[in-house]
Amino acid sequence: MTETSRLTAVRASYDAVAADYARLLGTALAEGPLDRAMLAAFAEYVRGEEGGGGRAVADLGCGPGRVTAHLDALGVRTFGVDLSPAMVAVARRTYPGLRFEVGSMTALDVADGVLGGVLAWYSTVHTPPSELPPVFAEFARVLAPGGYALVAFEAGDEQIRLEHAYGHPVDLDVYGTPPDRIAALLAGAGLAEVARLVREPDGYERSAQGLLLARKA
């Protein structure tokens, strides 16, 4: 599958599930205490002077906007970007006071070096690991010096095929990536690891989950 066809399949799949995805997940952040702790640390870092002292943060692959709204509640000026127009429409209806845009994390409509942070909350899992370097290079491009990236991902090495989700047919692959490889790929883009968390699967999760915080020099 080419990158273009893969993005088309991802967009169509999330357009199909958007309404039911949002309905089933609700608006409350359901993530556990470890995930919330990493989000809180990320928020504190980007609010600090070293992280840009209040520069905007992009929630890339924001879906229906739950995590965007959570960061906003933590005092971070956050906007969401998603490949799926249907997801963006749901986010705009649910959080009318926040900004959401349709876009791709591979080609962001953001100037160089202006963001204090980039969040990719499981939004890179549909990208083969071999295709992550340009994604992380785009993160580095838009981050200001000292800005932070937080990436949440499946911390394994298997590929799962999804053909049905949230009551709809979909065309999605989910890629697990070992934390050391994520760290190396981020470092290759100029984003040095600050901290990582790897936790055991919880609830419906099938594999260990990873969260890695990195900083642009």
Side-chain angles (χ1 to χ4, degrees):
M1 182 180 287
T2 66
E3 181 179 5
T4 300
S5 62
R6 177 178 55 77
L7 291 178
T8 298
V10 170
R11 180 186 296 108
S13 296
Y14 279 99
D15 277 347
V17 305
D20 287 315
Y21 180 98
R23 177 179 57 82
L24 290 169
L25 269 66
T27 57
L29 191 73
E31 279 70 8
L34 293 174
D35 294 359
R36 292 196 302 272
M38 285 294 280
L39 285 167
F42 173 68
E44 185 170 344
Y45 275 117
V46 299
R47 288 197 312 262
E49 288 302 319
E50 290 186 356
R55 288 178 181 266
V57 168
D59 178 8
L60 304 179
C62 64
R66 293 181 313 122
V67 183
T68 317
H70 181 73
L71 287 176
D72 179 74
L74 292 176
V76 177
R77 186 161 54 93
T78 311
F79 66 96
V81 178
D82 201 276
L83 188 65
S84 162
M87 282 290 192
V88 169
V90 170
R92 287 171 174 169
R93 287 196 303 269
T94 308
Y95 306 103
L98 298 178
R99 172 183 155 205
F100 297 97
E101 302 173 354
V102 177
S104 170
M105 68 178 68
T106 62
L108 295 167
D109 186 18
V110 177
D112 295 355
V114 298
L115 298 182
V118 166
L119 175 69
W121 198 253
Y122 295 100
S123 52
T124 62
V125 298
H126 302 305
T127 303
S130 62
E131 296 177 19
L132 285 174
V135 175
F136 291 162
E138 185 70 347
F139 292 4
R141 180 187 71 78
V142 298
L143 281 172
Y148 291 86
L150 177 60
V151 181
F153 56 97
E154 305 275 347
D157 57 6
E158 64 178 337
Q159 178 181 343
I160 298 172
R161 178 68 181 163
L162 293 180
E163 297 180 343
H164 195 270
Y166 303 101
H168 299 269
V170 296
D171 181 11
L172 294 170
D173 290 304
V174 179
Y175 297 90
T177 310
D180 284 346
R181 187 167 186 192
I182 292 289
L185 291 171
L186 286 167
L191 302 172
E193 180 177 353
V194 174
R196 72 173 72 177
L197 185 153
V198 179
R199 62 169 179 78
E200 291 302 303
D202 183 31
Y204 65 88
E205 296 167 345
R206 307 183 205 188
S207 63
Q209 307 294 297
L211 295 97
L212 201 147
L213 180 68
R215 185 170 184 256
K216 182 175 177 178

